[in-house]
Amino acid sequence: MKKILLFSDTHSHIDDTILKYVSQADEVWHAGDIGDLAVTDTIKKLKPLRCVYGNIDDTKARLEFPLHNRFMCEGVDVWITHIGGYPGKYNPSIKAEMDANPPKLFICGHSHILKVIFDKKHNLLHMNPGAAGKSGFHQVRTMLRFVIDGDKIKDLEIIEMEKKG
């Protein structure tokens, strides 16, 4: 069983609120637009990190993290990418792979809009954690927390942080 903290779009922002939740997780997953690598360096000192780079990330981030991160967590096939789209509207660059070999859990960021959707066509759970940083149009900073237990994804929680200041 693993407790996962999922967030995206930090845009160089990390604070004590994020770090409080990091400390409670077994693993942290970041779905891109990291900004300053001090964000991921700080997290890696505390917990195992799985991460992808996003469209705002520089060469250093692109050398350290992949565009797509596909892995097994317990019995769950996970695919994280930054710009992935949504069920019925997946990014054209991943559509063929999604149709041929869908994961059980598909995660993306980019939109700054928190969404959790079950994709019936591909029999997968789609998650976008919204944005944990302060840059962007979103009003409330959000993250997701959940448990992977064997091949089950359970105990999903939405974490809403203070409104952007």
Side-chain angles (χ1 to χ4, degrees), residues 1-161:
M1 184 175 85
K2 290 201 178 188
K3 294 180 213 164
I4 308 299
L5 178 66
L6 169 63
F7 52 85
S8 184
D9 296 275
T10 48
H11 293 261
S12 302
H13 179 78
I14 192 157
D15 59 23
D16 290 341
T17 302
I18 294 171
L19 292 174
K20 174 183 88 171
Y21 288 102
V22 166
S23 70
Q24 297 169 7
D26 295 322
E27 286 187 12
V28 176
W29 299 353
H30 192 306
D33 277 5
I34 303 155
D36 190 324
L37 288 181
V39 170
T40 49
D41 290 345
T42 300
I43 294 164
K44 286 190 295 186
K45 288 176 187 169
L46 301 171
K47 297 292 173 164
L49 172 69
R50 296 185 188 262
C51 188
V52 296
Y53 71 79
N55 57 295
I56 69 142
D57 292 317
D58 64 12
T59 304
K60 286 184 191 174
R62 292 168 191 241
L63 289 171
E64 184 168 348
F65 301 108
L67 174 62
H68 301 285
N69 193 348
R70 190 153 184 182
F71 56 92
M72 291 297 293
C73 180
E74 302 247 332
V76 176
D77 180 5
V78 180
W79 182 356
I80 304 174
T81 194
H82 184 61
I83 303 175
Y86 292 97
K89 297 178 185 171
Y90 289 115
N91 186 318
S93 68
I94 65 163
K95 190 170 179 347
E97 177 68 16
M98 184 66 76
D99 289 343
N101 185 22
K104 183 167 184 162
L105 176 58
F106 181 71
I107 295 168
C108 63
H110 187 61
S111 71
H112 293 220
I113 300 168
L114 187 147
K115 286 188 182 183
V116 177
I117 305 167
F118 186 75
D119 178 345
K120 292 178 188 172
K121 178 182 175 189
H122 295 95
N123 194 33
L124 64 83
L125 187 60
H126 174 282
M127 291 184 185
N128 184 321
K134 293 189 173 185
S135 296
F137 65 87
H138 59 283
Q139 296 301 305
V140 178
R141 298 167 49 227
T142 56
M143 301 185 289
L144 292 171
R145 182 163 60 174
F146 55 95
V147 170
I148 294 185
D149 189 0
D151 65 350
K152 305 273 189 281
I153 303 161
K154 61 185 192 179
D155 301 333
L156 177 64
E157 297 175 77
I158 295 169
I159 298 166
E160 290 186 344
M161 295 174 278

